[in-house]
Amino acid sequence: MMFSPTDLAALRSRYEEHGWCSPAARLSAASVSAVRERIDELCASARPEVVHEDDGATVRAVHGCHAFDDLCAALVRTPELVRLAETLVGGEVYVYQFKVNLKQAEEGAAWPWHQDFSFWHLEDGMPRPAAVNIAISLDDVHDGNGPLLVVPGSHNDGIYELPRAEGQRGTHWREHVSTTLTYTVSDERAAELMAAKGGLRMTGPAGTINAFHPSILHSSSNNDSPDRRALLLITYNRVDNAPAAPTRPEFLVSRDTTPITAGPDDRLTLVAASA
Ligand code: SIN
Ligand code: MN
């Protein structure tokens, strides 16, 4: 179900105003099952891209799968997702980053308040926030299993608490994917911003799609529930916004900036969100 020009224009204007938007479409149940199964297989393999929680055993995330797995490679080429990303960033895109944050039942740990652009700008040298995260939930997400919480409108404020962040540059990449992130925004500051601008929890059935801006302030809490909350995130970057000389591992910052070619795959379909 390709989005109409009117749908895309409305999504873009919502994204520009609020820093996020959600199309009226989601990944079909069969597609979600296929991706979920594949991610479970990848998480069981001993690869550097698989990152664990502090216990060293529970898988926290798996990175860069589009570069080594055929189903994930097909997913990033899904025509509707590519079209949405191109619309939101205003030009051709390539995949900057791909990850699945597993947020395992009972074990999945929080993500402190942060802005992704802090990492991409300060660590990688991404010039502008001309990129977009497309988040696809692989499990049902509810208030109790650690949904992503965003502060709409915060994407227009630039990087918060930049002076402190600048002194922290060059930490090991593990500090960019763990519970103790390098570039955070304090809980106090986030509470003030939420009081002023509001907060939005990205809940919904498996397959739900949300697009959010690199500069939007976001966090998510521990998962104390019996339900896993796996969230797949594709970051598309505008091809003219590639960092000049990134140093972090390729599974965090793709070096191949060739514009992505959209192409359908029988295993992956979008359906109306109301279906
Ligand atoms: C999360 O998976 O809840 C955090 C995602 C992010 O920080 O991009
Ligand atoms: Mn983030």
Side-chain angles (χ1 to χ4, degrees):
M1 55 162 304
M2 185 45 88
F3 307 124
S4 71
T6 316
D7 291 339
L8 289 167
L11 287 161
R12 181 165 176 161
S13 94
R14 247 176 277 152
Y15 180 77
E16 284 173 355
E17 184 178 351
H18 303 294
W20 74 278
C21 64
S22 183
R26 63 179 148 84
L27 203 58
S28 73
S31 311
V32 169
S33 294
V35 175
R36 195 192 281 146
E37 216 169 278
R38 186 62 62 91
I39 296 300
D40 289 347
E41 277 168 36
L42 298 178
C43 287
S45 55
R47 306 187 58 107
E49 294 89 346
V50 178
V51 170
H52 296 93
E53 299 284 5
D54 292 345
D55 64 7
T58 308
V59 175
R60 177 170 172 83
V62 54
H63 297 265
C65 316
H66 68 299
F68 59 82
D69 177 76
D70 69 299
L71 189 62
C72 296
L75 182 63
V76 303
R77 297 178 60 228
T78 302
E80 293 90 337
L81 301 182
V82 174
R83 195 75 195 92
L84 178 61
E86 287 172 343
T87 301
L88 298 180
V89 307
E92 288 188 306
V93 295
Y94 71 97
V95 176
Y96 184 76
Q97 202 173 81
F98 179 108
K99 58 187 179 262
V100 183
N101 291 337
L102 275 299
K103 193 78 76 94
Q104 308 281 1
E106 322 278 358
E107 311 282 351
W111 291 85
W113 286 106
H114 68 279
Q115 295 165 289
D116 293 343
F117 189 56
S118 304
F119 297 86
W120 302 341
H121 183 57
L122 297 168
E123 292 291 334
D124 303 333
M126 180 191 278
R128 291 172 302 278
V132 61
N133 289 307
I134 306 248
I136 306 171
S137 54
L138 299 183
D139 297 313
D140 294 340
V141 184
H142 53 80
D143 283 347
N145 62 350
L148 202 57
L149 170 59
V150 303
V151 180
S154 57
H155 66 300
N156 283 324
D157 293 351
I159 297 177
Y160 297 115
E161 303 184 11
L162 180 58
R164 201 182 67 183
E166 271 188 338
Q168 295 168 329
R169 187 151 191 250
T171 48
H172 192 274
W173 65 264
R174 285 189 184 280
E175 297 299 315
H176 309 157
V177 296
S178 67
T179 51
T180 53
L181 294 179
T182 303
Y183 306 114
T184 56
V185 170
S186 67
D187 289 348
E188 294 72 26
R189 186 78 191 275
E192 279 167 25
L193 288 161
M194 276 231 285
K197 298 174 191 281
L200 179 109
R201 284 192 175 77
M202 292 185 164
T203 54
T208 297
I209 299 170
N210 280 288
F212 65 98
H213 192 279
S215 300
I216 201 169
L217 181 63
H218 60 284
S219 69
S220 65
S221 60
N222 291 341
N223 184 3
D224 299 322
S225 83
D227 309 318
R228 192 184 75 163
R229 190 238 58 179
L231 188 67
L232 187 151
L233 293 137
I234 307 167
T235 305
Y236 293 97
N237 189 22
R238 208 168 64 199
V239 290
D240 65 2
N241 192 44
T247 56
R248 297 198 299 164
E250 184 142 11
F251 58 78
L252 290 180
V253 190
S254 299
R255 304 303 198 268
D256 183 359
T257 65
T258 314
I260 200 144
T261 322
D265 187 291
D266 288 348
R267 300 166 294 178
L268 300 165
T269 50
L270 266 65
V271 293
S274 53

